[in-house]
């Protein structure tokens, strides 16, 4: 059984336990939905922009099979979003702590 204060648990808490991080996830989900519903729309690039700078590494992936590349890109996009949401959450916690100090 993992510890209560393990690093992945803290990262997940930062990425989900405040309104700023939740708003980031909602915006990302809306961008993905638009990209899937209208693939030829220029807004299809919104998820890549929202998960930058980490998501730009997906562009440098070597070409592999179409399905495998799509799965790897989706996993990398999700991990990039998790990292960015954790940063947004940490900034929100720090701002709240500074405001109440």
């Amino acid at each position: 059984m993992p510890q209560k204060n393990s690093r992945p648990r803290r990262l997940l808490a930062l990425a989900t336990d405040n309104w700023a991080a939740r708003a980031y996830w909602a915006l990302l989900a809306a961008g993905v939905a638009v990209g899937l519903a209208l693939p030829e729309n220029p807004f299809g690039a919104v998820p890549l922009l929202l998960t930058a700078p980490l998501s730009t590494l997906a562009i440098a992936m070597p070409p592999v099979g179409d399905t495998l590349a799509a799965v790897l890109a989706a996993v990398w996009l999700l991990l990039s979003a998790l990292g960015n949401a954790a940063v947004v959450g940490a900034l929100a916690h720090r701002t709240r702590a500074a405001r109440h100090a």
Side-chain angles (χ1 to χ4, degrees), residues 12-55:
L12 191 59
L14 277 177
T16 58
D17 74 344
N18 58 65
W19 288 105
R22 290 179 190 151
Y24 172 80
W25 282 111
L27 187 61
L28 181 68
V32 169
V34 167
L36 290 175
L38 306 166
E40 65 280 347
N41 195 332
F43 291 113
V46 167
L48 283 177
L49 295 174
L50 286 174
T51 56
L54 293 174
S55 65

Side-chain angles (χ1 to χ4, degrees), residues 1-90:
M1 183 157 198
Q3 300 173 357
K4 278 197 166 202
N5 291 328
S6 66
R7 182 172 288 183
R9 193 181 211 55
R10 286 182 291 178
L11 179 68
L12 191 59
L14 277 177
T16 58
D17 74 344
N18 58 65
W19 288 105
R22 290 179 190 151
Y24 172 80
W25 282 111
L27 187 61
L28 181 68
V32 169
V34 167
L36 290 175
L38 306 166
E40 65 280 347
N41 195 332
F43 291 113
V46 167
L48 283 177
L49 295 174
L50 286 174
T51 56
L54 293 174
S55 65
T56 55
L57 293 176
I59 296 170
M61 275 193 328
V64 290
D66 290 338
T67 306
L68 181 60
V71 169
L72 289 175
V75 168
W76 186 250
L77 189 74
L78 181 63
L79 290 175
S80 300
L82 180 65
N84 284 352
V87 169
V88 168

